[in-house]
Amino acid sequence: MTNVTLSLDEVGALAKRALVGAGASDANAASVARSTVLAERDGIRSHGLLYVPIYAEHVVCGKVDGKAEPQVEHPRSGAICVDAQSGFAHPAIDAGWDMLSEAARQNGVAIMTVHNSYNCGVLGHHAQRMAESGLIGLCFTHAPASIAPQGGSKPVVGTNPFALAVPDGAGQAALVIDQSASIIAKSEILLRARTGEPIEPDWALDAQGRPTTDASLALKGSMMPAGGYKGFGIGLLVEIMASCLAGAVSSVNASPFSGTAGGPPATGQCFMAIDPGGYSGDVFQQRVAALVGEIAGQEGARIPGERRRSNAQRLAKTGVMVDQVLIDRINAFS
């Protein structure tokens, strides 16, 4: 295996060339490439360059309309609705972003929903983007069904993550929580299925409902929810916000994010932006600082999002190591 060191700028250029080569518009490719760079920067490899061949393949086969132009509506002062037009989620989110931020500052809180959408990458990055502009970001995105209800065997909800990012009052996020309803992100199982590595025994069940360490069998069965029935409850919460409220298809009817089977997934997202100034004002930042201090003051404790921040500081300087085989796969679309 030959590894190559790429700067973050080179990561973005590599991703964008492949997406444009696959048939995406320049603007859409740039939006997805930025997400890819952030994932690599933060050390979240499963959502970085590893996903670019999947994105490109889905543009080629029609699961994603690479040239889609999102349609934005503003039906009420605190409501923004975006139709991704079966395109990538990233440019659809970008299309309504400024309107969402402005509405939150005017009203104290605002919500943007996105439907007819697709995988939005690392959800926490969207929440962090809000926090860096001084807003609390609470985000939801659902996915094709992969988690069965407690006591059941048929998947009903997806891994369905939510993310929360809180501003620190100085242009950064004080903390970022990004977690799925499943015990592990499905992308990790997809990654291990490709490499042939076993998964942990408590991550998933096979199609017969038995625990398995075989990633390929896990993909045919169901993911284990984090915390048992409580994890499934989180999955339902996200389903209500990102599917039902957004007017997107349900997880059970969404086509897979991997492979070429089925048409556009038509999934959805929901982004809530809250302006602390409309509520407790300066007291909010004081309470957040104190809360973070309580965590940081304990030896061995880690503030949510701290590992990503550390990776970002290091990899922005050193670049990232990428397998030449993966680079060749990506370049094939260019």
Side-chain angles (χ1 to χ4, degrees):
M1 181 184 297
T2 302
N3 288 325
V4 178
T5 300
L6 298 181
S7 69
L8 295 181
D9 285 343
E10 289 171 329
V11 167
L14 176 65
K16 184 179 177 183
R17 281 197 307 271
L19 292 165
V20 170
S25 68
D26 189 81
N28 288 350
S31 184
V32 178
R34 284 194 297 273
S35 173
T36 302
V37 169
L38 292 177
E40 290 288 346
R41 181 202 68 181
D42 290 2
I44 310 173
R45 308 300 300 276
S46 60
H47 286 70
L49 287 173
L50 279 168
Y51 225 110
V52 171
I54 299 174
Y55 288 147
E57 180 183 51
H58 285 176
V59 172
V60 172
C61 77
K63 281 181 78 80
V64 177
D65 181 353
K67 298 186 184 300
E69 296 183 5
Q71 302 298 308
V72 183
E73 296 183 355
H74 197 351
R76 297 189 184 180
S77 61
I80 296 91
C81 304
V82 184
D83 184 343
Q85 299 282 307
S86 297
F88 285 112
H90 308 81
I93 295 166
D94 288 342
W97 194 265
D98 289 345
M99 198 175 291
L100 170 66
S101 299
E102 182 180 351
R105 298 188 196 286
Q106 289 180 349
N107 301 309
V109 61
I111 292 177
M112 176 175 73
T113 60
V114 182
H115 67 286
N116 285 334
S117 186
Y118 179 78
N119 188 331
C120 69
V122 178
L123 186 64
H125 286 153
H126 304 290
Q128 185 173 341
R129 182 179 176 185
M130 289 189 207
E132 289 170 351
S133 69
L135 301 171
I136 300 170
L138 180 57
C139 309
F140 309 89
T141 184
H142 77 121
S146 57
I147 301 178
Q150 199 75 1
S153 59
K154 179 184 176 183
V156 172
V157 300
T159 50
N160 289 17
F162 78 91
L164 170 71
V166 180
D168 67 356
Q172 298 295 322
L175 57 84
V176 180
I177 300 170
D178 187 352
Q179 64 187 64
S180 65
S182 57
I183 199 167
I184 192 73
K186 193 170 186 177
S187 56
E188 183 63 31
I189 294 182
L190 286 166
L191 176 59
R192 296 202 182 191
R194 293 191 198 104
T195 61
E197 294 179 73
I199 62 173
E200 299 301 317
D202 60 344
W203 282 7
L205 305 175
D206 64 17
Q208 284 70 48
R210 301 171 300 199
T212 181
T213 58
D214 187 322
S216 60
L217 293 179
L219 292 174
K220 298 175 182 177
S222 62
M223 304 279 292
M224 293 293 287
Y229 72 90
K230 293 183 180 180
F232 185 74
I234 291 174
L236 283 177
L237 165 65
V238 174
E239 189 80 9
I240 295 296
M241 301 299 290
S243 171
C244 302
L245 185 65
V249 301
S250 62
S251 288
V252 295
N253 293 321
S255 69
F257 284 154
S258 60
T260 58
T267 46
Q269 289 86 30
C270 177
F271 305 91
M272 179 182 293
I274 304 170
D275 184 355
Y279 300 91
S280 58
D282 292 341
V283 173
F284 171 80
Q285 294 298 167
Q286 295 167 12
R287 296 289 186 271
V288 168
L291 181 61
V292 170
E294 290 289 346
I295 300 170
Q298 299 185 40
E299 185 176 356
R302 189 171 63 240
I303 300 166
E306 186 176 11
R307 180 180 295 172
R308 293 185 185 185
R309 187 182 304 114
S310 176
N311 286 339
Q313 293 171 347
R314 174 175 56 85
L315 294 174
K317 298 176 182 178
T318 65
V320 296
M321 297 289 288
V322 184
D323 182 0
Q324 182 63 53
V325 173
L326 175 59
I327 294 175
D328 292 342
R329 283 180 63 206
I330 295 171
N331 277 330
F333 290 96
S334 302

Short mmCIF file of all heavy atoms in Angstrom, two decimals, residues 29-53:
data_model
loop_
_atom_site.label_atom_id
_atom_site.label_comp_id
_atom_site.label_asym_id
_atom_site.label_seq_id
_atom_site.Cartn_x
_atom_site.Cartn_y
_atom_site.Cartn_z
N ALA A 29 -20.32 20.81 -6.97
CA ALA A 29 -19.09 20.07 -6.68
C ALA A 29 -18.26 20.80 -5.62
O ALA A 29 -17.70 20.18 -4.72
CB ALA A 29 -18.29 19.87 -7.96
N ALA A 30 -18.20 22.13 -5.72
CA ALA A 30 -17.43 22.91 -4.76
C ALA A 30 -18.00 22.78 -3.35
O ALA A 30 -17.26 22.67 -2.37
CB ALA A 30 -17.40 24.37 -5.18
N SER A 31 -19.33 22.77 -3.24
CA SER A 31 -19.98 22.66 -1.94
C SER A 31 -19.67 21.31 -1.29
O SER A 31 -19.35 21.23 -0.10
CB SER A 31 -21.49 22.84 -2.10
OG SER A 31 -22.14 22.84 -0.85
N VAL A 32 -19.77 20.23 -2.08
CA VAL A 32 -19.48 18.90 -1.54
C VAL A 32 -17.99 18.75 -1.24
O VAL A 32 -17.61 18.12 -0.24
CB VAL A 32 -19.94 17.81 -2.55
CG1 VAL A 32 -19.60 16.42 -2.02
CG2 VAL A 32 -21.44 17.92 -2.80
N ALA A 33 -17.14 19.34 -2.08
CA ALA A 33 -15.70 19.26 -1.85
C ALA A 33 -15.31 19.93 -0.54
O ALA A 33 -14.43 19.44 0.19
CB ALA A 33 -14.95 19.89 -3.02
N ARG A 34 -15.96 21.05 -0.21
CA ARG A 34 -15.67 21.72 1.06
C ARG A 34 -16.00 20.81 2.24
O ARG A 34 -15.26 20.76 3.22
CB ARG A 34 -16.47 23.02 1.17
CG ARG A 34 -15.92 24.16 0.33
CD ARG A 34 -16.54 25.50 0.74
NE ARG A 34 -17.98 25.55 0.52
CZ ARG A 34 -18.56 25.91 -0.61
NH1 ARG A 34 -17.81 26.25 -1.66
NH2 ARG A 34 -19.88 25.94 -0.72
N SER A 35 -17.10 20.10 2.13
CA SER A 35 -17.48 19.15 3.18
C SER A 35 -16.44 18.03 3.31
O SER A 35 -16.11 17.59 4.41
CB SER A 35 -18.86 18.55 2.87
OG SER A 35 -19.18 17.52 3.76
N THR A 36 -15.93 17.58 2.17
CA THR A 36 -14.91 16.53 2.16
C THR A 36 -13.64 17.00 2.84
O THR A 36 -13.02 16.26 3.63
CB THR A 36 -14.60 16.13 0.70
OG1 THR A 36 -15.79 15.69 0.05
CG2 THR A 36 -13.56 15.01 0.66
N VAL A 37 -13.24 18.24 2.58
CA VAL A 37 -12.05 18.81 3.21
C VAL A 37 -12.22 18.87 4.72
O VAL A 37 -11.32 18.49 5.49
CB VAL A 37 -11.77 20.22 2.65
CG1 VAL A 37 -10.70 20.92 3.49
CG2 VAL A 37 -11.32 20.13 1.20
N LEU A 38 -13.39 19.32 5.19
CA LEU A 38 -13.63 19.42 6.63
C LEU A 38 -13.57 18.05 7.30
O LEU A 38 -13.04 17.92 8.41
CB LEU A 38 -14.99 20.07 6.88
CG LEU A 38 -15.12 21.55 6.50
CD1 LEU A 38 -16.54 22.03 6.74
CD2 LEU A 38 -14.13 22.40 7.27
N ALA A 39 -14.11 17.03 6.63
CA ALA A 39 -14.08 15.68 7.19
C ALA A 39 -12.64 15.18 7.32
O ALA A 39 -12.24 14.62 8.35
CB ALA A 39 -14.90 14.73 6.32
N GLU A 40 -11.84 15.38 6.28
CA GLU A 40 -10.43 14.96 6.33
C GLU A 40 -9.67 15.77 7.37
O GLU A 40 -8.86 15.24 8.13
CB GLU A 40 -9.78 15.12 4.96
CG GLU A 40 -10.26 14.13 3.91
CD GLU A 40 -9.75 12.71 4.15
OE1 GLU A 40 -8.83 12.53 4.97
OE2 GLU A 40 -10.28 11.78 3.52
N ARG A 41 -9.94 17.06 7.43
CA ARG A 41 -9.27 17.94 8.40
C ARG A 41 -9.51 17.49 9.83
O ARG A 41 -8.61 17.54 10.69
CB ARG A 41 -9.77 19.37 8.21
CG ARG A 41 -9.13 20.40 9.14
CD ARG A 41 -10.00 21.63 9.29
NE ARG A 41 -11.24 21.34 10.01
CZ ARG A 41 -12.19 22.22 10.24
NH1 ARG A 41 -12.06 23.46 9.80
NH2 ARG A 41 -13.28 21.89 10.92
N ASP A 42 -10.74 17.06 10.10
CA ASP A 42 -11.11 16.67 11.47
C ASP A 42 -10.83 15.20 11.78
O ASP A 42 -11.16 14.71 12.85
CB ASP A 42 -12.59 16.96 11.71
CG ASP A 42 -12.88 18.45 11.79
OD1 ASP A 42 -11.94 19.25 11.63
OD2 ASP A 42 -14.04 18.83 12.02
N GLY A 43 -10.24 14.49 10.81
CA GLY A 43 -9.90 13.09 11.04
C GLY A 43 -11.07 12.14 10.91
O GLY A 43 -11.01 11.00 11.38
N ILE A 44 -12.17 12.59 10.26
CA ILE A 44 -13.35 11.73 10.09
C ILE A 44 -13.26 11.12 8.69
O ILE A 44 -13.95 11.52 7.75
CB ILE A 44 -14.65 12.54 10.28
CG1 ILE A 44 -14.57 13.34 11.58
CG2 ILE A 44 -15.87 11.61 10.31
CD1 ILE A 44 -15.72 14.31 11.78
N ARG A 45 -12.38 10.15 8.55
CA ARG A 45 -12.02 9.64 7.23
C ARG A 45 -13.19 8.99 6.50
O ARG A 45 -13.28 9.01 5.26
CB ARG A 45 -10.87 8.61 7.34
CG ARG A 45 -9.66 9.10 8.12
CD ARG A 45 -9.01 10.32 7.51
NE ARG A 45 -8.53 10.11 6.16
CZ ARG A 45 -7.34 9.58 5.86
NH1 ARG A 45 -6.52 9.18 6.84
NH2 ARG A 45 -6.96 9.44 4.62
N SER A 46 -14.13 8.41 7.25
CA SER A 46 -15.26 7.70 6.63
C SER A 46 -16.14 8.64 5.82
O SER A 46 -16.86 8.21 4.92
CB SER A 46 -16.10 7.00 7.70
OG SER A 46 -16.61 7.93 8.64
N HIS A 47 -16.10 9.95 6.12
CA HIS A 47 -16.92 10.93 5.40
C HIS A 47 -16.07 11.84 4.51
O HIS A 47 -16.57 12.81 3.98
CB HIS A 47 -17.71 11.80 6.39
CG HIS A 47 -18.86 11.08 7.03
ND1 HIS A 47 -18.69 10.08 7.95
CD2 HIS A 47 -20.20 11.22 6.86
CE1 HIS A 47 -19.87 9.64 8.34
NE2 HIS A 47 -20.81 10.31 7.70
N GLY A 48 -14.79 11.50 4.38
CA GLY A 48 -13.89 12.31 3.58
C GLY A 48 -13.73 11.77 2.17
O GLY A 48 -14.70 11.46 1.48
N LEU A 49 -12.48 11.62 1.74
CA LEU A 49 -12.21 11.17 0.38
C LEU A 49 -12.76 9.77 0.09
O LEU A 49 -13.06 9.45 -1.05
CB LEU A 49 -10.71 11.21 0.11
CG LEU A 49 -10.10 12.60 -0.07
CD1 LEU A 49 -8.58 12.51 -0.15
CD2 LEU A 49 -10.66 13.28 -1.32
N LEU A 50 -12.90 8.97 1.14
CA LEU A 50 -13.47 7.62 0.94
C LEU A 50 -14.86 7.68 0.34
O LEU A 50 -15.29 6.76 -0.36
CB LEU A 50 -13.52 6.87 2.28
CG LEU A 50 -12.22 6.21 2.74
CD1 LEU A 50 -12.36 5.77 4.18
CD2 LEU A 50 -11.87 5.03 1.85
N TYR A 51 -15.59 8.77 0.62
CA TYR A 51 -16.96 8.88 0.14
C TYR A 51 -17.05 9.48 -1.26
O TYR A 51 -18.07 9.39 -1.93
CB TYR A 51 -17.80 9.74 1.11
CG TYR A 51 -19.15 9.13 1.42
CD1 TYR A 51 -19.44 8.60 2.66
CD2 TYR A 51 -20.14 9.07 0.44
CE1 TYR A 51 -20.68 8.04 2.94
CE2 TYR A 51 -21.38 8.51 0.70
CZ TYR A 51 -21.64 8.00 1.96
OH TYR A 51 -22.86 7.43 2.22
N VAL A 52 -15.98 10.10 -1.74
CA VAL A 52 -16.04 10.78 -3.03
C VAL A 52 -16.37 9.84 -4.19
O VAL A 52 -17.20 10.18 -5.05
CB VAL A 52 -14.73 11.55 -3.29
CG1 VAL A 52 -14.68 12.09 -4.73
CG2 VAL A 52 -14.61 12.71 -2.31
N PRO A 53 -15.78 8.62 -4.26
CA PRO A 53 -16.18 7.72 -5.35
C PRO A 53 -17.65 7.35 -5.30
O PRO A 53 -18.28 7.14 -6.35
CB PRO A 53 -15.29 6.48 -5.13
CG PRO A 53 -14.12 6.98 -4.37
CD PRO A 53 -14.67 8.06 -3.47
#
